[in-house]
Amino acid sequence: MPCVPDQIRSRTFELGYSLIGTDGRLKGHDEHPDDGTTSWSLAQVLLGIARAPGLRYVESPRFHNALMRLLKLQNRTTGAWPLREGDIDDVSFAFYPVLLFDRLVRRGSSHARHVMEPLRATARHLLDTASGIAPTNMVLAVSALDRIARLGELSKSQRVQYLAYKTRLNSCLVDDDGGLRLEDLTLHNELQPRWHSVTWSPLLYGCTRAWGGVQSGHNLQIADRLISSFDEKEGGWLGPSRSVGKASSWASSLGVLNTYLLARDLVAAKISAEEFLELTQSEHSRRRFDIVISFGGPDRAVAQEVRDRLVTAGLRVFFDFDFRHNLLGEDLAVTLQDIYFRRSRYAVAILSRSFLKSKWAGNWEWRAVLARMNSQQQGYLLPYFLENVEVPGLNPTIGFLSSDHVSPREFAEIVVQKVTGAFDAQFR
């Protein structure tokens, strides 16, 4: 954070580096001298040190030894990250190693050659386990896969699987009633020395902030949890226990980091603190989808290309194929009206003769779009013309794009910028 003075920043890196012994072990605490040498703590300490400017610490023998000790803890057969050898493993343990490896690769560290295969093994592990885990842990898994995908380390089939998981996660972050479905998760082992950790949901903003931008319903609700859990009397965050007493150091350090990221995102989106507080209490924060896509059947390939880019950017997209299980047996006239009118932030309409002939897109969905447009002042419809057709009820002054000048992929990029406030470009 730029507001931290350089001397404090330098001293913090020095203290973090001092936690590592010459043999790569972490200093323990209390009566367990080796308690610090877990995959969980090693990855976090090394990640913090890797954020130091320059390569003084990262290229040191001490850092190298600690990294090798971390890599030895991974199960190379499954790609999982046990806490210690023979101890529990959990999908959350993969999160910090991925952040560390991503940092080392992007910084051009000499250690990059050591972490690429463990990174690919971790991707296989995350894809194998993501289908059966709680939404909170799935946020960590998909956030880690985001970074692996950006490094280009997912195969074509893995990328399809990753996007399917991301679509499912984004669609279930907010339930049908608009409530956030992320809960705190506690994890502990049964072996000595004993260990426990809590994944605290207000701190997940750093993972989800790129998914739909700060105005997306799930981000507004996570940010609201983050801000409302700050204890003014203690000047920090107490953490998930919320017990009376001093603020927790780990909760407060991660709390202030997430608050800083939130402030950056609000500034980038040109939203004041007062406007943000109003948004968190409004119906806007309880909409399940960022985008709904309406199209005629013959235009499905174009719609699919648009959908894939929007999902990759982290937007919560309603695309009929992804929700066949929800639509089966339902009264589609009622269900689609509800989705288009009440549960979405924006609607993409792919306009053509096929759209106008469609029983659903050009009829029920379009009626809901027009009703929504008549009920709100802000822009809702994002039109994309494949052909020069006249669409009943469409105001000719509404801005649109056409395939004559913009490809489906380019259109999707522009939609991402519109919905997220160009968030994707400034996300780091």
Side-chain angles (χ1 to χ4, degrees):
M1 294 185 293
C3 54
V4 178
D6 289 341
Q7 60 269 29
I8 295 179
R9 193 191 308 268
S10 298
R11 180 57 177 160
T12 301
F13 288 128
E14 288 176 7
L15 291 172
Y17 187 67
S18 71
L19 294 174
I20 304 176
T22 56
D23 61 353
R25 290 182 181 273
L26 285 186
K27 289 183 179 179
H29 45 80
D30 302 329
E31 68 272 21
H32 302 298
D34 294 331
D35 198 15
T37 308
T38 63
S39 61
W40 178 255
S41 54
L42 269 171
Q44 291 187 64
V45 171
L46 291 176
L47 174 62
I49 295 170
R51 293 182 178 277
L55 298 174
R56 170 189 166 195
Y57 296 125
V58 171
E59 298 299 336
S60 69
R62 195 183 299 182
F63 187 98
H64 172 82
N65 291 339
L67 178 62
M68 294 302 106
R69 192 172 289 277
L70 170 64
L71 296 181
K72 287 180 181 178
L73 290 173
Q74 185 183 30
N75 183 327
R76 293 299 178 86
T77 301
T78 65
W81 289 91
L83 184 67
R84 304 179 184 88
E85 186 176 354
D87 211 329
I88 61 170
D89 66 66
D90 186 79
V91 69
S92 61
F93 294 162
F95 180 68
Y96 282 108
V98 170
L99 264 61
L100 169 63
F101 300 161
D102 177 52
R103 187 78 178 182
L104 294 175
V105 171
R106 289 193 293 110
R107 292 197 65 183
S109 165
S110 64
H111 299 301
R113 59 192 173 92
H114 298 298
V115 304
M116 294 311 297
E117 183 50 40
L119 189 70
R120 288 188 283 267
T122 303
R124 293 193 296 271
H125 167 62
L126 293 173
L127 290 169
D128 287 344
T129 57
S131 61
I133 58 179
T136 298
N137 265 353
M138 200 168 179
V139 167
L140 298 178
V142 172
S143 180
L145 288 167
D146 282 345
R147 287 161 172 79
I148 299 173
R150 282 201 294 270
L151 292 174
E153 294 301 321
L154 293 181
S155 67
K156 185 176 180 181
S157 61
Q158 285 179 326
R159 186 170 182 82
V160 171
Q161 191 178 2
Y162 148 67
L163 288 178
Y165 284 148
K166 191 168 186 177
T167 299
R168 193 177 70 186
L169 171 63
N170 283 333
S171 68
C172 75
L173 285 173
V174 177
D175 63 27
D176 287 343
D177 295 322
L180 188 65
R181 297 182 63 185
L182 298 177
E183 303 295 336
D184 303 341
L185 289 184
T186 301
L187 186 67
H188 60 84
N189 69 345
E190 300 296 337
L191 302 179
Q192 294 293 339
R194 296 300 296 272
W195 176 96
H196 77 278
S197 178
V198 179
T199 301
W200 192 32
S201 61
L203 302 181
L204 292 175
Y205 181 78
C207 296
T208 65
R209 57 191 284 256
W211 303 345
V214 71
Q215 294 190 65
S216 193
H218 60 271
N219 281 331
L220 284 171
Q221 293 190 56
I222 294 172
D224 184 45
R225 286 187 185 181
L226 174 68
I227 299 304
S228 61
S229 59
F230 178 77
D231 191 304
E232 292 188 18
K233 182 179 178 181
E234 294 295 334
W237 282 262
L238 302 182
S241 67
R242 298 178 179 84
S243 58
V244 178
K246 293 183 179 179
S248 164
S249 58
W250 72 265
S252 294
S253 60
L254 290 173
V256 75
L257 172 61
N258 278 266
T259 302
Y260 164 71
L261 295 175
L262 171 61
R264 273 183 55 184
D265 299 341
L266 291 174
V267 170
K270 298 180 180 179
I271 298 173
S272 68
E274 292 75 16
E275 290 170 331
F276 162 72
L277 293 175
E278 290 178 4
L279 283 171
T280 60
Q281 302 304 316
S282 70
E283 181 68 21
H284 187 95
S285 70
R286 307 187 72 79
R287 288 181 182 146
R288 182 175 179 185
F289 300 104
D290 295 308
I291 294 283
V292 291
I293 302 179
S294 183
F295 59 94
D299 302 327
R300 178 171 294 276
V302 173
Q304 180 77 49
E305 187 174 355
V306 172
R307 171 263 185 201
D308 288 351
R309 174 61 190 119
L310 300 182
V311 169
T312 301
L315 296 179
R316 295 174 298 156
V317 180
F318 178 81
F319 185 71
D320 62 352
F321 187 84
D322 297 325
F323 292 89
R324 291 176 295 176
H325 58 294
N326 296 102
L327 299 176
L328 181 63
E330 298 296 326
D331 184 334
L332 297 184
V334 175
T335 300
L336 293 175
Q337 168 75 18
D338 183 53
I339 290 172
Y340 278 75
F341 188 80
R342 188 173 67 88
R343 297 196 211 169
S344 57
R345 292 172 60 196
Y346 293 94
V348 163
I350 298 175
L351 303 173
S352 66
R353 284 188 287 271
S354 298
F355 178 90
L356 297 178
K357 294 177 182 177
S358 170
K359 175 182 177 181
W360 295 106
N363 188 8
W364 297 107
E365 293 172 11
W366 186 243
R367 290 184 187 181
V369 168
L370 292 177
R372 174 70 176 273
M373 291 170 65
N374 289 330
S375 70
Q376 70 175 50
Q377 298 297 318
Q378 302 91 340
Y380 169 67
L381 176 66
L382 308 177
Y384 182 53
F385 281 88
L386 299 184
E387 298 171 304
N388 185 16
V389 293
E390 185 174 336
V391 183
L394 180 61
N395 190 329
T397 62
I398 289 179
F400 66 90
L401 293 170
S402 75
S403 59
D404 291 338
H405 304 98
V406 176
S407 70
R409 169 81 182 188
E410 291 169 331
F411 171 73
E413 295 284 357
I414 294 169
V415 170
V416 170
Q417 294 175 23
K418 168 75 175 181
V419 176
T420 67
F423 182 91
D424 216 33
Q426 61 91 38
F427 173 64
R428 294 292 182 269

